[in-house]
Amino acid sequence: VRLGIWHKPNGAPQFTGDRPGVGWEAVAILHREGRKRWNGGGHHAIWVCNVERGAHPTQKPLALLLDWIVKFTEPGELVLDPFMGSGTTGVACEKLGRRFIGVEKDPKYFEMACSRIAETHRALSGGLLAVTDGGVVVSCQKLGQAASRAESAKLKERCGS
């Protein structure tokens, strides 16, 4: 386990003024046992990236997620985002040729994430499926990986592919 830092030059100040503003977030770098892989060479685990104000209250900057995915994965690998929010990780995976599974309990943000990822996928070509269970995302999958033909048709319609 390693710890990194996302430095936010435009992060929110400490509104009460009685102590310094934080301006950064800790990044837990977790990995499986065995050989550690890192495509960052000697780069320190410090990322400087402005906060982006999006439709989700804690939306991460796409540039930050693109960099993390390049540094920690290889093309075709699977990325899991257990707190998908508005889908920025999924968008980055789509752009970089990684497979993606996202989990989001809020139906509003699930729909937003599905739309963002589908829009990115359409821009790059192909289609996208989002598998749901009662409004809770189970996974986002590329076409052809769904469990059944009926499920594929239903999900294609839902995600606009």
Side-chain angles (χ1 to χ4, degrees):
V1 175
R2 295 275 176 155
L3 188 63
I5 295 173
W6 167 26
H7 174 227
K8 307 177 202 179
N10 69 337
Q14 177 63 37
F15 293 109
T16 61
D18 61 347
R19 58 192 176 275
V22 177
W24 62 275
E25 280 188 37
V27 178
I29 302 167
L30 310 172
H31 45 78
R32 295 183 189 125
E33 288 187 35
R35 183 169 182 247
K36 309 327 177 239
R37 241 187 21 226
W38 158 256
N39 300 324
H43 183 277
H44 291 191
I46 299 172
W47 292 270
V48 179
C49 190
N50 282 327
V51 173
E52 292 177 3
R53 309 285 187 245
H56 189 277
T58 61
Q59 186 167 317
K60 304 298 180 272
L62 180 58
L64 181 65
L65 275 291
L66 288 166
D67 193 39
W68 285 349
I69 290 167
V70 165
K71 287 199 168 91
F72 291 101
T73 68
E74 299 295 334
E77 285 188 328
L78 180 64
V79 175
L80 168 67
D81 185 349
F83 308 100
M84 183 169 64
S86 63
T88 305
T89 303
V91 169
C93 286
E94 194 62 39
K95 288 179 174 267
L96 295 170
R98 273 54 167 191
R99 295 175 300 131
F100 173 74
I101 295 175
V103 179
E104 176 54 55
K105 70 178 185 175
D106 187 320
K108 172 184 161 188
Y109 293 122
F110 165 74
E111 293 298 334
M112 180 186 305
C114 189
S115 294
R116 287 183 69 207
I117 297 166
E119 181 181 315
T120 302
H121 189 81
R122 278 192 295 273
L124 298 171
S125 78
L128 175 88
L129 298 179
V131 180
T132 65
D133 179 14
V136 178
V137 69
V138 176
S139 69
C140 287
Q141 304 174 350
K142 290 186 178 178
L143 293 177
Q145 295 177 338
S148 72
R149 202 175 290 187
E151 184 180 57
S152 293
K154 177 182 167 191
L155 296 170
K156 280 171 95 173
E157 181 180 306
R158 180 180 173 108
C159 287
S161 296

